Amino acid sequence: MKRNVPLLLAIIAGFVMIVAFFIPYTVSWGEDVSIWFDILASIAFILGGGNLLKVHLKKVSDQAKGWGYSIITIVAFLVMLFVGLTKLGVNPNPQFPGHGHWAGQYNEVGSPFYWLFESVFKPLQATIFAMLAFYVASAAFRAFRAKNMEAILLLATAFFILLGRTAAGVFLTDFIPEESGYSGLRLENITVFIMDVFNTAGHRAIMIGVALGTASVSLKILLGVDRSYLGSGEG
Amino acid sequence: MSRENTIWLIVFLIGAVMLFGRAMFTEHGMAKMYVEESPREFVDLGDEENPDWVSIEEAPEYVDVSAIPADHRVSWKKQRTSNYGEFVQQPAGGNIQFSLARSIGVWLAALLTLFVLSFLIKDNPFYKIAESLFVGISAAYWMVVAFWDQIVPNLIGKLSPTFVRNWAMPGLGEDARQELLYLIPLILGLMLLWRLSPKGGWISRWPMAFFIGTFCGLRLIRFLQADFLLQIRAGIDPLYVTEGGVFDVWASLANVILLIGVLSCLVYFFFSFEHKGIVGKTAKLGIWFLMITFGAGFAYTVMGRIALLAIRLEFLFDDWLWLIDPTDKRLGI
């Protein structure tokens, strides 16, 4: 019951998706299972939120190190959740004005949810991702050493691509006329050639490898050979 | 207080005084946001049984809208983001006005941006506050999106279409039928939430297994179709390319290199043979191609992040401080 039913569930769900691809009669089955998948993925977000609340409430109740920051997390979570789920400050839908604010868009421009998204979520997310520029550059500076052919190729490619995509790169080889037979030596054209030929070759091989790997892992799971996702204990 | 902290305090105080001065004592100020508010008004011309809402502009002429009682009228103001340039150029009596809420939002966004960037100096309480806020806000944001975009229309809407139509989705078709089959994802969802409970961990294995099985079935087909077959098909190019009947050296060379590159990389990924002799040399060539790919990937990652950083700096200098005006939205002030 604890292991066989989930195993069967995984096999049936997986094979329904495969069969739905090949047999037109079963296409709607695949669509339904696909929607169920999306619903479960959405419920997983609720699970994530619940878990976040559980962990941080425990930290606050234990007064563990940094519990003050946990209060900020909990308050931010609850405020955003309340504002979004109640559609606070949302205008009615112009097509159905009699339905009140519930029929409006939860992320309508000017609503408190939109305000929190624009003023808190978006700048924080963008800045945290932008910070990676410094860390990637710093890690590259420390780790990259042109000590063998592979490292030289990696460094040189990165250098040419970075230079070729900037105004400085274009300026450096500006003296080579566009119409001449040597125009391929202009930095921006070298960049395009590297991207279209060498990069595409490597990328294509990686994609083929990933596809074969995914197919083999999927088959192992669907045929019940790989059961690691069921865990080891009976718990 | 240590000397380092004193210096930082002085720097921050000078910065704060300058910001205050720019915001309060300059003619145009800074970080001001403007919105255009267009009024919308609807009236109900029907009765309790059959409401008939129409926009006040579209109401028939014979109807005296001023006589319609308040409980049969709905009005609100629709907002559009505007700017200082449009504000000062609008004709008298225009709808563009200063928005305090949006302006506070710009200040908050700017301060949070600085809080995060302060981590570049060292870990500090400001960064931790920003980090904690981000964790809470983003978890709730995705929950709300999942609820309104998936759970309401696809789960509750299938199980109880009438309720959802009356509540939040009046546009849901009258022909939408109740589909009891959707009790299955509901039950699986509840089983998934059981994971929060300290006991009965095995219960959440069922939805997880469904999740994994569906994902495998979906990916097995999609990857083989979109990646495996399409990549092979895209790789079948002529090695002898002509343009207008004339041999095109560069295009032919590019296709030859592309083919050699793909094959040599695939040989490197093939571990059933020992990488020795000709196989080893080909695999080595494959590694070189892969290194070029990784170099290009690295360069693009760096460029992407720097572009994001530039956008944040542009936000600080343009939207917050009003020091630059690249899009001329403030008439160049």
Side-chain angles (χ1 to χ4, degrees), chain A residues 146-165:
Chain A
K147 55 189 174 191
N148 55 33
M149 187 62 181
E150 288 83 6
I152 291 169
L153 280 172
L154 196 147
L155 273 175
T157 310
F159 179 74
F160 277 117
I161 300 281
L162 281 171
L163 203 58
R165 294 283 177 181

Side-chain angles (χ1 to χ4, degrees), chain B:
Chain B
M1 189 182 285
S2 71
R3 181 182 289 183
E4 188 188 343
N5 287 345
T6 312
I7 292 170
W8 277 119
L9 186 67
I10 292 169
V11 167
F12 280 125
L13 281 177
I14 292 172
V17 167
M18 287 172 79
L19 278 177
F20 185 74
R22 184 167 173 77
M24 302 303 290
F25 302 115
T26 54
E27 188 192 343
H28 46 72
M30 60 180 257
K32 288 186 193 163
M33 289 293 284
Y34 295 85
V35 291
E36 184 178 20
E37 291 192 332
S38 358
R40 296 279 183 97
E41 190 162 5
F42 290 81
V43 286
D44 181 13
L45 302 179
D47 50 33
E48 291 296 323
E49 297 278 310
N50 299 300
D52 178 21
W53 289 92
V54 290
S55 162
I56 203 155
E57 294 91 20
E58 292 166 8
E61 281 182 18
Y62 59 83
V63 175
D64 179 13
V65 288
S66 58
I68 295 174
D71 57 338
H72 285 260
R73 303 166 77 103
V74 176
S75 64
W76 68 90
K77 285 179 178 167
K78 186 175 171 55
Q79 276 193 7
R80 181 187 71 84
T81 306
S82 184
N83 55 51
Y84 181 74
E86 288 180 356
F87 172 70
V88 293
Q89 283 180 318
Q90 71 176 332
N95 290 333
I96 299 173
Q97 54 184 292
F98 170 70
S99 167
L100 181 65
R102 297 272 190 109
S103 304
I104 292 172
V106 170
W107 276 89
L108 184 62
L111 290 177
L112 289 175
T113 302
L114 293 177
F115 282 7
V116 174
L117 289 177
S118 71
F119 187 73
L120 291 171
I121 301 168
K122 64 178 180 185
D123 198 3
N124 63 73
F126 295 112
Y127 174 76
K128 284 203 172 101
I129 289 170
E131 190 186 37
S132 311
L133 258 178
F134 181 60
V135 172
I137 289 273
S138 59
Y141 173 78
W142 291 115
M143 259 179 83
V144 171
V145 170
F147 181 75
W148 288 116
D149 288 350
Q150 281 294 338
I151 294 176
V152 171
N154 288 337
L155 183 64
I156 310 176
K158 302 271 187 191
L159 289 172
S160 181
T162 315
F163 167 70
V164 169
R165 192 181 303 116
N166 292 334
W167 170 47
M169 290 179 69
L172 195 68
E174 288 290 338
D175 55 340
R177 289 177 298 109
Q178 187 180 43
E179 295 183 48
L180 289 178
L181 207 58
Y182 277 75
L183 282 171
I184 298 174
L186 175 68
I187 293 166
L188 286 175
L190 293 175
M191 290 170 87
L192 188 65
L193 292 178
W194 200 275
R195 213 172 174 79
L196 291 171
S197 154
K199 283 183 182 173
W202 64 272
I203 292 173
S204 63
R205 273 186 201 156
W206 289 31
M208 287 304 288
F210 174 82
F211 220 68
I212 287 166
T214 315
F215 191 76
C216 287
L218 208 65
R219 287 288 175 264
L220 180 70
I221 299 295
R222 293 260 168 92
F223 269 77
L224 285 181
Q225 194 191 26
D227 291 327
F228 187 66
L229 293 178
L230 276 187
Q231 291 296 336
I232 291 173
R233 194 177 298 160
I236 302 173
D237 285 326
L239 300 181
Y240 181 86
V241 183
T242 55
E243 176 122 7
V246 181
F247 176 58
D248 188 335
V249 184
W250 288 108
S252 303
L253 183 68
N255 286 356
V256 169
I257 296 174
L258 199 58
L259 180 70
I260 292 172
V262 174
L263 291 178
S264 57
C265 289
L266 286 176
V267 167
Y268 171 66
F269 289 145
F270 197 65
F271 295 106
S272 297
F273 291 113
E274 199 176 348
H275 289 183
K276 270 182 169 179
I278 185 76
V279 177
K281 287 195 171 69
T282 315
K284 186 88 177 163
L285 184 65
I287 295 175
W288 289 355
F289 270 92
L290 286 172
M291 286 299 148
I292 293 175
T293 308
F294 295 148
F298 170 76
Y300 268 88
T301 308
V302 171
M303 274 194 290
R305 302 304 178 197
I306 287 176
L308 268 178
L309 184 66
I311 292 169
R312 292 322 299 158
L313 293 178
E314 190 182 320
F315 165 77
L316 290 177
F317 289 110
D318 181 8
D319 295 317
W320 183 45
L321 294 173
W322 285 21
L323 288 174
I324 57 169
D325 188 13
T327 51
D328 211 23
K329 60 189 173 195
R330 288 184 300 276
L331 313 173
I333 61 164

